[in-house]
Amino acid sequence: MATSPDDEATVIIRTVGALGRIELNKPKAINALSTDMVQTIDAALRQWQTDTQVAAVLITGRGERGLCAGGDIKAIHRDISEGTNAENMTFWADEYAMNHAIAEYPKPYVAILDGITMGGGVGVSVHGSHRLVTETTKIGMPETGIGLFPDVGGTYLLAQLPSEVGMYMGLTGEPVGAGAAIAYGLADTYIDRDRIPELIEALEAEAFAVDTVIARFAEEPPENELSVAEGWIAACFSADSVVEIIDRLRRHPNEDAQKTADLLETKSPRSLAVTYEMIRTAKDMKLEEVLERDLRAATEIGKRPDLVEGIRAQVIDKDRNPQWDPPTLAGITEDEIRAILDTEQERTVFS
């Protein structure tokens, strides 16, 4: 493994002492993941897995804005607009295989979730064994706002959260900070952002003692910012459908609950219905089963109009005014949801 990084690379791979370093290096795009980046990370993980000279792995993101904002959705838009989903299928299959490798990694996998960590950024971090957050951390799965769903095994993670917080996060796309992330099990340790360089230096020097090093830098996390909202979240997001969730939010006396109903009605109705079903059922599934379903569902939902329209509205034209088709949940049928989630295809994540 090369030990001198190429600063022009989108992912910088190197070893320092016994620490394998992965640095995402697209700071202007908040380190958004592309197929080549995913493949580079996966190759490094495979090599280090059997390398007795590498004791642990650390993933960080360059720049001040965040670890990773997700996948390169402009590339996803381009592939669909050009009339094919072939590149997207390659990206998703490779990404989901990498997510599983991180979750099953036999060595400590340390992720510093500083700043924005969303979508695919969750996939390269929260599945790891050691998840460190800071005062700037924002963890979220905002896919219902672009016509997709919380992929990268996101529904598996969200399904484990208590008090219906996972359903709330998955449907609304709202991020959480360090306090809630630790309280609900999306992260393990709170550190001061200013001490990240010192922490990395310590990990590089003592990669065989990851737990000891992290313990030296750990601080008391902030309060769970969602604790005051847990009551209405649990009461409303435990409903048997998205339609009923919105109805409960509308009737709830809490003003934030009513604002959340407004927020849900800006999201793709198809994405809301699919996401609801995926989170509801993921709790009884294994991660590898969820990732296989993610690939089927992503491929299938890419054939429908909302994904390309959602990306157009958010990052291409940036008018923030997507025209969903259908425009309301009334136009989404159970047959369509089943078709998206149960589609058979030859390619799998683990082929």
Side-chain angles (χ1 to χ4, degrees), residues 12-70:
I12 298 171
I13 303 294
R14 57 180 170 145
T15 54
V16 182
L19 185 68
R21 292 286 314 272
I22 300 170
E23 291 181 90
L24 307 181
N25 188 32
K26 285 168 57 178
K28 291 182 180 179
I30 320 180
N31 301 311
L33 296 170
S34 59
T35 302
D36 65 315
M37 293 171 71
V38 166
Q39 292 172 346
T40 298
I41 295 168
D42 190 62
L45 291 175
R46 290 177 186 276
Q47 181 172 338
W48 290 334
Q49 183 168 333
T50 56
D51 186 343
T52 57
Q53 300 301 308
V54 174
V57 175
L58 170 67
I59 186 167
T60 56
R62 288 200 168 184
E64 295 296 315
R65 298 171 67 191
L67 171 65
C68 175

Side-chain angles (χ1 to χ4, degrees), residues 40 54 90 98 122 190 262 309 331 339:
T40 298
V54 174
T90 297
M98 175 194 65
V122 171
Y190 179 77
D262 294 338
E309 171 62 10

